[in-house]
Amino acid sequence: DDKAQEVPVPARRHFLLLFDLAFSEPKAIVQARAAAKDLVAEMHASDLAAVATYAASHGTELVLGFTSDRGQIEAAIDSLGLPELADRTTVDPLRLYVEELRQKIHENTVAGEGIREYKKETADKILLEQMEQSMRASESANTEVQKDKITALTRSFTDLARLMRSVNGHKHVVYLSEGYDSSVLLGSKDADLEKDMQDAREKGEVWKVDSQQRFGSADAMNDVEGMLEELRRADCTVQAVDIAGLRGTSGSQALGYERKGGRESLFQMARDTGGELYENFNDLSAAMGKMLERTGVTYVLTIQPETPPDGTYHALKVELRGLPRGARVVHRPGYFAPKPFAQRTRMERMLLTAGQVLAGEEGGQVRMSVMTAAMPAGANAEGTADVPVVVEIDGPSLLHLHQGNDLPAEIYVYALDAKGQVRDYIAQTLTLDMFKVEAKLLQSGLKFYGHLELPPGSYKARVLVRNGRTGFHGLRVAPLEVPSFAGAGPVLLPPFFPQAKGEWLVAREAQRPGHRELPMPFRMGDQPFLPAALPILGVGEARFALLGYNLADEGDLQVRSQVLTADGREMQAGDLSLVSRATGEAGADRLELTFRPPALQPGEYLLRVTVTDAAGKAGTATTPFVVAAAAPAERG
C-alpha cells in the first residue's frame, strides 16, 4: 500500500462513479450502488475514485472528490437515497472526507467494527421512494419535454467535463445508467408511426405530422456532440454500464408506464470518447471486473510544453511505429494550458487543491514549517488521541504579489494512514484584514494552531496553505506517529520550545462539530505557551518543555542530547540539563530542560533527546531547529 501511494497522481487510474438518477429505474440504481461497492473493493491500491450523481432537479453533483480512501468512497455511495445527510458532506470543502455520513446517523445506523454504517435496507427504501415519485411525473411527459430533459443532461455533463480539466490524469467516467431514448434526437424508425404520418400528409393533414418525432432534433444533437467533444478534451473516457438488466421485472410497468431503452445513447457516449459499453450483465460485478481488466495497462507519456497559462486548448497527435496488427492507440486528443487562478471557478479550485493534497508533493511558493505531537485524550475519547498541529507560515511569501484589503488564507491539514485513508482533517479559511495585520505578516508571518483526533497508528499529515486570491500555495508532509500509550514503554513527545511573545500573528482553529475542544496543552511551569514549529536557536541557552509517558515513578532521570545534520550526520553534542520534573494530566511527566547548542554553521539541524528512567528504560524524541546567521538568543 505504501508503494501504491507513491505512484504519481497523474499516472493513477481515476474512476468517476456517475449515477444517473434521471434516466434509470429505481431498482436498477439500488442494485448498481451495491455493484459499485464491489468495484471499489476490487480496485488496485493506487486507483482513485470519486462519486457523483445526476438528477433532473439539480444536475450533476460531486458527492466525493477523487480519493484512495475506500471507506470514504463506500460512504459516499451509501449516501444515495439519504439526501438529508448527503447534503452535509460539504463540511469538508475539498470533499475528501464524508464526515457526517460516519458520525451523524442516529436511528438509521448500526454499529459495526467501531465504524457506524447505514442500514442498507433503510437507504434503499428512501432511494426507491424518491426516484419512483420523480419517474411517475417525468416518464409520462411528451416528446418536447423529453428533449428538454436530454438537453439539460448534455449541458450538465458539459459542465462536468470542464470541471474535470482541473484533475490531472486520465479519467474513466463509469456512467451507471439505462440511457435516454435516442429516438427523441434521431427520430423514430417505427414503421407504424411512419405510415400514420404518410397518411396524414396524403390527406393534407400536415398538422398531424410531428417532424421532431419523425426526424429528431438537430439542436439537441448538436448539444450531444458538444458534450462529447468537451469530454474528449478533458481526457475523460466514458465507460457506459447499461444497468437495465439489473432491475429484474420492469419497475416502470409497476408504476404504470413502459420505459423505452437507451442502449444507443449509452453506446454513442462510450464509442465517441474511446470507452466501451457494458450491457446484458445480470451481474454488474462481472461488468465491473471486465472494465478493470481492460483498463489495467496504461502507458504514461509526458511532455513539457512551453505554453502561456491562459487556459487555451492545444491538440496532440500520437503515432507509434511497429504497431501490432489489431492493436489500437487511444490517447487524449489534446490538453488545456493551466488557467490563471483568478479565472478558476470555486469547484475548479476545490479539485485543484484536493489533487495537490492527494499528490503530497512538497514545495510551492509559500514557505512554512509544521509541528505535530500526539497526546492521550480523556476517558471519552473512544480510542483516539489528541494531536496538536502547529503551522508557521512565512508572511512575505504568503503576501507575494497580493493585492487587496483582505487576504483569504486557506489552511488544510489531512491525516492519511498507510492505505491512503483520510482519518481526520482541518480545513479553515482565515480572512485577514491587511490594514491591521500586514506589518506583522511582513515581519514574521501567520501561526495557526489546531488539532486532529486519531487512533494509534502511523500517518502522514499533509498540510497545504494557499493565498486564496493569488493561488500561491505551499505543501508540507509531516510524518506522524500516534502511540498506544497504555502498556507501551517510555514515550516522549517532541521538545517544545516557546516562541517569543508577539512575534507571530496567531490564529486558532474554529470549533468543529463532533470534535473535542482541546485546552492549551503546552506549559512551562504554570504558564501556557505556543511552541515554535521550527525553533531558531543561537549561541545562548534555550529552555524547552518535554512531555514523557510511562517513565518510572521513582528515581532520577538521565538525559542525553545528540545534534545531527538534516541528512543524519552526527555533530558535536550540546549541553543538556534537566531543570525540573512534575506530574501532569493523564500521568504525563512534564520535564523542563535547558539546551545550549554547540558551535554550528548556519543551517537546519535535528535535536535528539533521550531520557532514561531509573528502571533503565529509555525514550527518544526529535525536533528540527535552525541556526540563523545572526540569530538573537532571545528568539529561542
Side-chain angles (χ1 to χ4, degrees):
D1 286 333
D2 287 332
K3 291 183 178 179
Q5 299 308 313
E6 294 174 1
V7 177
V9 169
R12 302 192 195 185
R13 287 187 299 185
H14 291 66
F15 293 104
L16 175 60
L17 304 177
L18 178 54
F19 293 84
D20 184 353
L21 308 183
F23 292 96
S24 303
E25 290 195 5
K27 289 185 179 180
I29 283 291
V30 167
Q31 296 183 55
R33 181 173 58 186
K37 293 171 72 172
D38 292 338
L39 167 69
V40 172
E42 295 298 323
M43 290 193 312
H44 189 269
S46 65
D47 291 339
L48 306 174
V51 179
T53 60
Y54 175 75
S57 58
H58 56 263
T60 305
E61 180 180 10
L62 187 65
V63 179
L64 181 72
F66 287 101
T67 178
S68 58
D69 189 334
R70 304 300 188 254
Q72 295 300 319
I73 300 167
E74 291 186 8
I77 295 172
D78 282 338
S79 75
L80 302 179
L82 293 165
E84 74 283 359
L85 294 177
D87 289 346
R88 301 170 69 183
T89 60
T90 54
V91 169
D92 173 15
L94 300 189
R95 304 197 185 183
L96 292 174
Y97 190 72
V98 193
E99 179 184 36
E100 296 295 326
L101 297 179
R102 289 183 174 274
Q103 296 181 355
K104 305 291 183 182
I105 39 189
H106 306 298
E107 71 275 4
N108 290 335
T109 63
V110 291
E113 298 181 355
I115 298 177
R116 293 172 175 176
E117 298 175 347
Y118 285 107
K119 288 182 179 178
K120 181 179 182 299
E121 59 273 18
T122 302
D124 291 353
K125 181 180 179 181
I126 295 173
L127 180 59
L128 282 169
E129 290 175 352
Q130 278 189 315
M131 293 188 66
E132 287 175 356
Q133 290 174 1
S134 175
M135 295 191 76
R136 281 191 182 98
S138 64
E139 290 295 338
S140 60
N142 59 32
T143 302
E144 188 65 28
V145 173
Q146 290 297 312
K147 187 199 77 172
D148 290 343
K149 283 184 60 180
I150 297 170
T151 299
L153 178 141
T154 58
R155 291 176 179 173
S156 184
F157 281 19
T158 296
D159 292 338
L160 176 66
R162 290 169 180 166
L163 180 62
M164 288 297 106
R165 298 176 189 174
S166 303
V167 179
N168 289 327
H170 183 64
K171 282 79 64 176
H172 295 278
V173 180
V174 184
Y175 183 38
L176 298 149
S177 174
E178 295 187 40
Y180 55 78
D181 180 8
S182 59
S183 67
V184 176
L185 307 182
L186 301 175
S188 176
K189 298 180 181 179
D190 184 83
D192 292 337
L193 177 61
E194 186 172 356
K195 183 179 182 301
D196 291 341
M197 289 183 177
Q198 182 64 28
D199 291 342
R201 283 194 293 268
E202 290 177 354
K203 294 177 181 179
E205 299 174 340
V206 293
W207 60 87
K208 292 185 178 181
V209 178
D210 188 338
S211 61
Q212 286 202 27
Q213 188 177 10
R214 176 62 183 91
F215 301 107
S217 169
D219 290 341
M221 279 301 302
N222 289 336
D223 289 336
V224 172
E225 291 297 337
M227 171 194 71
L228 296 173
E229 177 62 18
E230 289 292 347
L231 286 166
R232 289 190 293 267
R233 288 188 168 200
D235 199 16
C236 291
T237 296
V238 176
Q239 307 291 354
V241 183
D242 185 357
I243 61 176
L246 298 179
R247 62 176 182 260
T249 60
S250 176
S252 61
Q253 292 176 352
L255 294 175
Y257 61 86
E258 180 62 36
R259 190 184 188 284
K260 296 182 180 180
R263 179 196 179 279
E264 290 78 9
S265 61
L266 294 176
F267 177 72
Q268 180 187 18
M269 293 176 69
R271 178 198 62 198
D272 290 0
T273 59
E276 296 193 39
L277 170 62
Y278 298 87
E279 58 180 338
N280 301 324
F281 282 92
N282 288 323
D283 178 8
L284 184 55
S285 298
M288 297 296 197
K290 182 171 290 188
M291 181 183 62
L292 287 175
E293 179 183 352
R294 290 180 178 177
T295 61
V297 179
T298 303
Y299 294 91
V300 180
L301 307 178
T302 62
I303 60 172
Q304 292 183 321
E306 296 182 0
T307 54
D310 55 7
T312 56
Y313 181 74
H314 301 267
L316 284 174
K317 185 176 181 181
V318 177
E319 294 182 353
L320 296 182
R321 296 180 179 177
L323 193 65
R325 178 175 296 179
R328 66 186 180 119
V329 178
V330 178
H331 65 88
R332 64 186 306 176
Y335 67 92
F336 287 91
K339 274 202 296 190
F341 188 79
Q343 296 179 14
R344 295 176 185 259
T345 66
R346 180 183 64 84
M347 289 296 291
E348 287 174 338
R349 295 182 184 188
M350 179 271 289
L351 282 177
L352 171 68
T353 304
Q356 290 169 331
V357 170
L358 199 61
E361 296 177 0
E362 290 194 298
Q365 304 88 348
V366 178
R367 298 186 296 274
M368 62 176 166
S369 302
V370 178
M371 186 212 73
T372 62
M375 302 177 177
N380 298 324
E382 298 183 355
T384 60
D386 289 321
V387 183
V389 179
V390 178
V391 185
E392 291 177 350
I393 306 163
D394 174 71
S397 63
L398 182 64
L399 290 173
H400 183 59
L401 296 182
H402 180 83
Q403 295 180 349
N405 298 331
D406 64 297
L407 188 157
E410 302 174 7
I411 301 171
Y412 305 97
V413 182
Y414 286 79
L416 278 69
D417 63 16
K419 295 181 179 180
Q421 295 179 325
V422 177
R423 305 305 297 268
D424 199 7
Y425 74 97
I426 303 169
Q428 191 164 334
T429 297
L430 306 171
T431 302
L432 307 178
D433 187 335
M434 297 300 293
F435 289 113
K436 297 179 179 179
V437 304
E438 183 175 12
K440 180 161 285 191
L441 287 176
L442 289 172
Q443 177 187 356
S444 52
L446 173 64
K447 189 167 190 140
F448 178 80
Y449 168 63
H451 87 285
L452 303 166
E453 297 175 7
L454 298 170
S458 298
Y459 304 88
K460 289 184 179 179
R462 297 185 179 180
V463 182
L464 186 142
V465 174
R466 184 187 300 282
N467 182 320
R469 196 172 300 280
T470 65
F472 291 149
H473 80 285
L475 188 140
R476 295 292 178 271
V477 179
L480 170 59
E481 193 73 29
V482 179
S484 58
F485 291 105
V491 176
L492 298 183
L493 303 191
F496 302 133
F497 287 85
Q499 69 172 31
K501 290 185 178 180
E503 183 175 336
W504 295 84
L505 175 66
V506 178
R508 186 166 181 171
E509 71 171 327
Q511 181 64 29
R512 290 179 287 157
H515 279 66
R516 301 181 287 272
E517 186 172 357
L518 181 64
M520 184 63 69
F522 311 105
R523 293 182 174 274
M524 190 77 76
D526 294 330
Q527 296 299 315
F529 69 93
L530 195 57
L534 184 62
I536 301 176
L537 306 183
V539 295
E541 186 176 81
R543 182 165 294 202
F544 67 92
L546 190 66
L547 286 178
Y549 298 87
N550 303 329
L551 296 171
D553 295 334
E554 303 294 335
D556 294 333
L557 300 176
Q558 303 296 321
V559 296
R560 181 171 64 91
S561 69
Q562 293 173 279
V563 175
L564 300 92
T565 61
D567 59 3
R569 291 184 295 109
E570 188 167 356
M571 307 291 289
Q572 179 183 352
D575 297 328
L576 182 68
S577 300
L578 177 63
V579 176
S580 65
R581 176 186 183 183
T583 301
E585 300 175 358
D589 280 293
R590 294 186 175 273
L591 311 180
E592 188 175 330
L593 302 97
T594 60
F595 174 66
R596 185 186 298 273
L600 298 169
Q601 294 294 318
E604 187 169 332
Y605 299 88
L606 296 174
L607 169 62
R608 180 175 295 164
V609 177
T610 301
V611 177
T612 305
D613 63 16
K617 296 182 179 179
T620 302
T622 303
T623 190
F625 71 93
V626 166
V627 173
E634 62 269 19
R635 291 189 69 179

